[in-house]
Amino acid sequence: MNFKAVLFDLDGTLLNTIDDLGDSMNNVLTKLSYPTHSIESYKYFVGDGLEMLIKRALPDDVDEETFKKAYQLMREEYGNNWANKTKPYDGIPDLLNSLKSLRIRRAILTNKPDDTAQKVVNKFLSDYEFDIVMGARQNYPKKPEPDGAIEIAKALKIEPEFFLYLGDTKIDMETAKRAGMFPVGVLWGFRKADELINSGAKILIEHPINLLEYINNGN
């Protein structure tokens, strides 16, 4: 396949954000007098958007009012702490530079709230050009619904089949399949190989630069 574009997930794929997410949510739980969780646990809480992260971190029996309070607190906490420990994964800068030199189009699709996604990308990935950065928007379906991925393909005027979709969770692999893109699972992110394979990854890569093998073979 002659791939022309790469669609990236953000958290767990381009950026290691788990410490800042986990620390922020644990601060919320402490304020609400609930038990906190290990950072390792947060790797399985994230991926489906902020609301689901909060629901998974809270006890099962909390009421709607408590959830709303936790949501507001989490927006505040993460707003204050999102840049403390977050950084690109090793090899991501080299991959992005190489894709640019090969004239491969680049875009980001994340379930992180859109305003936060724009801010995080501008902070940590401002040296690299992306055609589109799309986060979760009100009244717009989140991944694994394929709408965002399909919209990006239309905006770039590239058919979905010419996209490599890079992600670290089953949500990403399902999104790629439903959008008609080629699912690539990354092994440096938040989930393990079996989840990625079982949810449809066609290939797994252990280091970002490994993706270039498939770009070069396609070209």
Side-chain angles (χ1 to χ4, degrees):
M1 177 63 69
N2 183 21
F3 294 110
K4 300 177 181 179
V6 178
L7 182 55
F8 293 93
D9 173 49
L10 184 59
D11 298 50
T13 301
L14 289 170
L15 298 177
N16 188 351
T17 58
I18 200 66
D19 286 303
D20 288 335
L21 285 166
D23 289 348
S24 297
M25 190 65 219
N26 278 341
N27 289 344
V28 172
L29 294 171
T30 298
K31 289 180 178 180
L32 296 175
S33 299
Y34 291 130
T36 59
H37 304 281
S38 69
I39 294 300
E40 190 65 25
S41 295
Y42 280 103
K43 292 181 179 180
Y44 294 88
F45 293 169
V46 300
D48 296 284
L50 185 61
E51 294 91 345
M52 285 304 301
L53 162 60
I54 295 167
K55 287 180 180 178
R56 289 166 179 159
L58 287 169
D60 292 336
D61 58 352
V62 300
D63 57 26
E64 184 64 22
E65 183 178 346
T66 301
F67 172 78
K68 289 180 179 178
K69 184 176 181 180
Y71 182 87
Q72 184 59 39
L73 287 171
M74 181 56 175
R75 292 281 289 184
E76 293 171 3
E77 284 289 337
Y78 192 60
N80 292 329
N81 296 297
W82 61 273
N84 290 350
K85 300 175 183 176
T86 291
K87 61 181 179 179
Y89 286 99
D90 291 343
I92 288 297
D94 289 338
L95 172 60
L96 294 174
N97 285 329
S98 296
L99 292 174
K100 181 179 179 180
S101 69
L102 291 169
R103 298 183 180 179
I104 300 295
R105 307 291 291 275
R106 302 161 304 284
I108 296 172
L109 178 63
T110 175
N111 279 342
K112 187 186 288 293
D114 189 64
D115 58 340
T116 305
Q118 303 296 335
K119 182 167 60 176
V120 170
V121 170
N122 286 337
K123 168 70 174 178
F124 294 105
L125 298 169
S126 61
D127 290 339
Y128 315 100
E129 298 175 7
F130 293 93
D131 294 282
I132 298 171
V133 176
M134 182 182 294
R137 302 170 182 173
Q138 192 173 14
N139 300 321
Y140 199 88
K142 298 184 181 70
K143 300 183 292 183
E145 295 298 327
D147 303 54
I150 292 170
E151 181 176 320
I152 288 171
K154 288 180 179 178
L156 297 184
K157 298 181 180 179
I158 298 173
E159 292 298 318
E161 66 213 62
F162 296 109
F163 276 78
L164 288 164
Y165 188 116
L166 214 64
D168 69 305
T169 71
K170 66 180 180 180
I171 296 296
D172 295 307
M173 301 303 98
E174 291 169 3
T175 305
K177 288 190 302 179
R178 293 170 68 176
M181 297 179 177
F182 189 92
V184 180
V186 308
L187 297 178
W188 59 82
F190 299 159
R191 306 290 175 82
K192 298 184 183 299
D194 56 350
E195 175 181 320
L196 296 167
I197 293 171
N198 292 337
S199 52
K202 291 190 177 180
I203 59 172
L204 301 178
I205 57 175
E206 295 184 354
H207 189 275
I209 212 71
N210 295 150
L211 188 69
L212 295 180
E213 299 172 19
Y214 300 94
I215 297 288
N216 291 333
N217 286 342
N219 288 292

